[in-house]
């Protein structure tokens, strides 16, 4: 979250008044990092709900949160998962950002691999994260506010020269 803060501060010093954050393909990072980054943008409210076998715990914004108040649009796709997905869910669930792009992957859980005696393994979810409205993210993903299909590019082909998702996001910010 400190890198997000530094980048936002640098952009603000350059005159930025609105942000487009590209979370497409963002699947790395600890889930807590997604919540920490969301704290920069959400001043009050529930950021996520952590569900374990013993119950649910709401993760809420604190008094010092919400330092970045500028309008935000988030670019998401099927590669957005984990920390990026939690960040997107927190901002979207608190009306701090519109999601533009494709449905996210739906991987918002702490999992561990349990080795079985026959050499196979079982992936066990010990903690699941829910949206601020207590809706499951895991295995479902987040539906964007504005859906945009990414163009399919064949392996080895040149990348497209246009980005329809970014174009739509910039259009959203202009409204």
């Amino acid at each position: 979250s400190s890198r997000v803060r530094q980048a936002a501060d640098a952009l603000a010093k350059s005159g930025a008044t609105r942000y487009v954050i590209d979370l497409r393909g963002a699947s790395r990072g600890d889930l807590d990092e997604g919540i920490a980054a969301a704290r920069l943008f959400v001043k009050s409210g529930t950021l996520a709900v952590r569900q374990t076998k013993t119950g649910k715990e709401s993760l809420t914004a604190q008094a010092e949160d919400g330092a970045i108040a500028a309008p935000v649009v988030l670019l998401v796709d099927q590669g957005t998962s984990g920390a990026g997905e939690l960040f997107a869910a927190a901002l979207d669930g608190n009306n701090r950002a519109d999601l533009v792009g494709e449905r996210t992957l739906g991987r918002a859980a702490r999992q561990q691999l349990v080795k079985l005696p026959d050499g196979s393994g079982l992936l066990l979810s010990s903690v699941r994260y829910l949206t601020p409205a207590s809706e499951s993210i895991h295995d479902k993903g987040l539906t964007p506010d504005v859906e945009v299909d990414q163009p399919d590019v064949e392996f080895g082909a040149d990348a497209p020269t246009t980005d329809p998702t970014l174009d739509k996001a910039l259009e959203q910010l202009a409204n």
Side-chain angles (χ1 to χ4, degrees):
S1 65
S2 63
R3 289 189 296 168
V4 174
R5 179 62 187 261
Q6 290 171 349
D9 287 347
L11 289 169
K13 286 178 186 172
S14 298
T17 58
R18 300 169 184 191
Y19 299 102
V20 174
I21 301 174
D22 193 348
L23 297 172
R24 294 175 292 183
S27 61
R28 294 181 143 178
D30 186 84
L31 295 169
D32 291 333
E33 290 288 325
I35 297 297
R39 289 186 182 286
L40 295 171
F41 295 87
V42 180
K43 191 170 193 66
S44 65
T46 300
L47 301 170
V49 176
R50 186 182 294 145
Q51 181 180 29
T52 65
K53 65 179 181 178
T54 58
K56 293 181 180 180
E57 172 193 8
S58 291
L59 305 174
T60 58
Q62 306 298 316
E64 66 276 3
D65 292 345
I68 302 171
V72 180
V73 171
L74 304 177
L75 308 183
V76 296
D77 68 1
Q78 296 168 355
T80 306
S81 67
E85 205 165 19
L86 276 180
F87 175 74
L91 270 63
D92 185 50
N94 284 283
N95 298 315
R96 277 295 288 120
D98 285 332
L99 306 184
V100 176
E102 298 177 314
R103 176 181 286 280
T104 64
L105 183 61
R107 191 181 317 142
R110 289 203 188 284
Q111 298 178 314
Q112 68 184 76
L113 182 62
V114 178
K115 290 184 179 181
L116 299 176
D118 67 358
S120 62
L122 173 69
L123 199 56
L124 179 68
S125 295
S126 57
V127 178
R128 293 170 56 119
Y129 286 84
L130 312 175
T131 68
S134 288
E135 296 171 358
S136 180
I137 301 170
H138 198 69
D139 291 333
K140 292 185 178 183
L142 304 171
T143 302
D145 300 295
V146 179
E147 291 194 48
V148 180
D149 287 331
Q150 286 291 102
D152 292 326
V153 179
E154 288 190 37
F155 184 73
D158 291 336
T161 57
T162 61
D163 187 340
T165 304
L166 178 59
D167 293 343
K168 189 56 90 171
L170 293 173
E171 187 180 304
Q172 268 312 99
L173 273 178
N175 293 336

